[in-house]
Amino acid sequence: MMANQPIFILPEGTERYSKRDALRMNITAAKILENIVRTTLGPKGMDKMLVNSMGDVTVTNDGATILREMDIAQPAARMLVEIAKKQEDIVGDGTTSVVVIAGELLSKAQKLLEDGIATSVVIRGFRNACAKAIEILNDIAIDGNDRDTLKSVAITAMSGKGSDYAKEQLADLVVDAALRIEDEGKVDIDSINIQRISGDAVEDSFLAEGIIMDKAPLSKSMPTEVNDAKIALLKYPIELKEINTDSKIDITSPDQFEAFLANEEEMVKDLVNTIIESGANVVFCQKGIDDMAEHYLNKAGIMAYKRVKKSDMERIQKATGAKLLTDINDLNEDVLGSAGKIYVKKIFDHKLTFIEECDNPKATSIVLRGSTRYVTEQINRALDDALGVVAATIEDGKVLVGGGACEIELIKQLRDYGDSVSGREQLAILAYAEALEVIPRTLIENAGLDSINLIADLKAAHEDSKAMGINVFTGKVVDMKEAGVLEPLKVKVQALQSSGEAAEMILRIDDMIAARDALNSTGPDESGNDNSGMPPMPGAGGMGGMPPMM
């Protein structure tokens, strides 16, 4: 009788999807995500309108922004999003390509699995094909990180992202900013601050001579311009420390109270005197500055700022050479930074502080103008991508021709490689090659062109030249190198690695076990706890509040 009793090892209400069911659902979820972002790829890609729970609207075709803003609940799809975010963090662009290629790889893998090929064989074939593809990309890459190449890379990255009418000027700003802070072949793009100001044309954007901070001095009576600035950076509050709530002060007479206040004032004076004696005439404080300290700083003619953002403090440190101090007692002349001029200027309705004429600055700022907030936000995302690819090109010194040219060349050479491999692994390698066709085909389809004929023309053209790609504006197959359509090698390599990792990770899952509450949760609750799990999915259902797209 005991042998016939059911044995429960999971709590009641737990859902389990095994083997083919689990794989089918995960692959379908990845394909849904691919279809969402695929229409945004390329210069002719469409935009997405994203509305969050607060009603804030974001209009963009930037893959990283779309993936970040969507409330995705399906676990495999969320894994794919995390891989795409890694792509963004490492090289700053190519997130849409990662999702599109990964989705296509999984689609090809599904057909192979249905034909009876083992998952391990498919994964091994994809892994070998990816390694070969990266080898091919390194072979066909072009040397170059000169200014013209960097500008072409920046223009390519910004194409179709709302900045086409001003991309030449914006590309110049991006390249100049990156070259200004380059240090031994490295570019820290976090050192470039993009200050968005609505109310004018994009063409009025400019690269500042130094650092710009969206902040004005503490008091209107403080100096608004300081020449030969000596800068103190403090992570120490210029204010009295709060008295412990358990402390008790016994004051029995007005004289004692007056003495207590005088003592407090003396303590604040000592803090300000420390700043004055160091020779500083400008103070940036990451903490607070109380009213009494403000009075004495103003009286001493010192320009002071409080509650300065950490990112601004880091840029000021890199630009001026000042040391960020956590103890005001360490303040002296040796730790001060320097700048030829610091002044306050009002642009439209923003009061900005300019820090200029720094010796060998390793930080800079771009002032981005636009008619509305939505315009500046969209172009800001384009500039972020451009900065990422320019930095990658400076560091790596290698570029590839765009317009689908390198993908067509990969397909051609991977097919030759696949023919040299025996066994069922050959089928996986050929399927990998076919999956890469999704990039040029999507570029063509998003431009409203005939993908069948143009893909055939591209393949024929590659018999003579590796640089032939599709000009989506004219619908012609042209030499992409001559057209100046260039992309960093580093971005393409990382995209192939990331998409391959994502596909392999999903293919290796043969069981999905969801806790009782996971089926109906869609994200963080009101307390901020992330309860996201697997939504109800008959065959791979919805995507975090989105209707099923099969």
Side-chain angles (χ1 to χ4, degrees), residues 220-282:
K220 292 182 180 179
S221 56
M222 280 183 174
T224 56
E225 182 173 340
V226 174
N227 294 312
D228 191 21
K230 302 298 179 186
I231 301 162
L233 291 184
L234 299 176
K235 198 178 180 180
Y236 186 94
I238 311 175
E239 56 190 6
L240 294 172
K241 294 182 180 178
E242 293 184 3
I243 298 175
N244 191 299
T245 53
D246 295 331
S247 301
K248 184 179 179 181
I249 301 175
D250 288 325
I251 297 177
T252 58
S253 70
D255 291 341
Q256 287 181 333
F257 184 67
E258 205 171 297
F260 176 75
L261 293 178
N263 184 57
E264 282 192 333
E265 185 173 350
E266 200 62 36
M267 291 170 66
V268 172
K269 273 186 179 180
D270 288 343
L271 292 175
V272 174
N273 283 336
T274 303
I275 295 171
I276 295 171
E277 289 169 6
S278 71
N281 52 15
V282 182

Side-chain angles (χ1 to χ4, degrees), residues 101 104-105 108-109 112 122-123 125-134 410-411 414-415 425-438 492-493 495-501 503:
I101 294 172
E104 199 68 12
L105 286 174
K108 299 295 183 186
L112 293 175
V122 174
I123 290 173
F126 279 3
R127 194 181 295 166
N128 291 339
C130 181
K132 184 63 176 178
I134 292 171
L410 282 176
I411 294 167
L414 281 175
R415 280 179 175 161
E425 188 180 322
Q426 179 191 71
L427 299 176
I429 294 171
L430 295 176
Y432 186 98
E434 289 175 14
L436 295 181
E437 193 177 294
V438 70
K492 285 289 186 185
V493 168
L496 290 182
Q497 289 175 335
S498 296
S499 58
E501 288 173 8

Side-chain angles (χ1 to χ4, degrees), residues 7-214:
I7 299 174
F8 298 96
I9 64 170
L10 296 173
E12 184 181 352
T14 300
E15 293 284 348
R16 181 184 178 195
Y17 303 86
S18 300
K19 302 188 185 305
R20 297 289 180 177
D21 289 338
L23 188 59
R24 185 172 61 252
M25 288 199 311
N26 287 338
I27 290 177
T28 304
K31 287 162 67 177
I32 292 169
L33 191 59
E34 176 198 353
N35 289 334
I36 290 172
V37 300
R38 183 175 167 182
T39 57
T40 68
L41 188 67
K44 292 288 188 176
M46 302 298 287
D47 292 345
K48 304 292 180 185
M49 178 181 282
L50 307 169
V51 186
N52 65 16
S53 58
M54 302 296 291
D56 294 331
V57 177
T58 301
V59 178
T60 181
N61 65 1
D62 179 65
T65 304
I66 295 167
L67 295 171
R68 185 171 58 248
E69 295 294 331
M70 283 198 305
D71 184 15
I72 295 174
Q74 208 282 340
R78 290 172 65 192
M79 290 163 63
L80 193 55
V81 170
E82 290 303 315
I83 293 285
K85 285 180 179 177
K86 186 180 78 170
Q87 170 83 12
E88 175 76 7
D89 293 340
I90 294 174
V91 291
D93 198 15
T95 50
T96 304
S97 297
V98 168
V99 175
V100 170
I101 294 172
E104 199 68 12
L105 286 174
L106 289 168
S107 181
K108 299 295 183 186
Q110 188 173 25
K111 293 178 182 176
L112 293 175
L113 296 174
E114 289 171 354
D115 290 340
I117 298 176
T119 304
S120 59
V121 174
V122 174
I123 290 173
R124 187 167 64 249
F126 279 3
R127 194 181 295 166
N128 291 339
C130 181
K132 184 63 176 178
I134 292 171
E135 181 185 319
I136 294 167
L137 287 180
N138 280 287
D139 287 341
I140 64 175
I142 304 167
D143 291 330
N145 59 0
D146 57 278
R147 198 184 188 288
D148 289 341
T149 300
L150 296 176
K151 184 175 178 180
S152 296
V153 166
I155 290 173
T156 302
M158 289 190 289
S159 295
K161 295 182 179 177
S163 59
D164 287 352
Y165 55 95
K167 60 186 179 184
E168 290 274 345
Q169 180 188 349
L170 293 174
D172 282 327
L173 297 183
V174 167
V175 173
D176 289 342
L179 291 176
R180 181 178 293 179
I181 66 166
E182 180 202 354
D183 186 17
E184 296 181 356
K186 300 288 184 182
V187 177
D188 180 9
I189 59 175
D190 290 334
S191 298
I192 301 173
N193 177 38
I194 301 176
Q195 186 65 52
R196 304 194 305 266
I197 300 178
S198 304
D200 220 327
V202 176
E203 290 84 350
D204 293 315
S205 303
F206 63 90
L207 177 65
E209 291 299 319
I211 297 296
I212 296 177
M213 189 173 64
D214 188 10

Side-chain angles (χ1 to χ4, degrees), residues 502-517:
E504 179 177 339
M505 186 168 53
I506 291 173
L507 287 173
R508 293 179 66 88
I509 298 170
D510 73 342
D511 234 332
M512 295 177 67
I513 301 169
R516 181 189 306 174
D517 296 333

Side-chain angles (χ1 to χ4, degrees), residues 321-338:
K323 291 184 179 179
L324 181 60
L325 303 179
T326 55
D327 188 347
I328 197 169
N329 294 317
D330 295 332
L331 184 61
N332 56 60
E333 187 178 358
D334 295 334
V335 299
L336 299 180
S338 61

Side-chain angles (χ1 to χ4, degrees), residues 418-480:
D419 291 339
S420 68
V421 176
S422 60
R424 293 190 170 191
E425 188 180 322
Q426 179 191 71
L427 299 176
I429 294 171
L430 295 176
Y432 186 98
E434 289 175 14
L436 295 181
E437 193 177 294
V438 70
I439 298 297
R441 188 169 70 249
T442 301
L443 292 174
I444 294 167
E445 289 172 355
N446 287 350
L449 303 172
D450 181 3
S451 61
I452 295 175
N453 289 332
L454 281 175
I455 290 289
D457 291 344
L458 271 174
K459 290 178 179 177
H462 269 251
E463 296 299 324
D464 300 320
S465 172
K466 298 176 183 178
M468 303 305 288
I470 180 67
N471 184 326
V472 296
F473 299 100
T474 64
K476 304 292 184 182
V477 175
V478 300
D479 189 312
M480 289 287 107

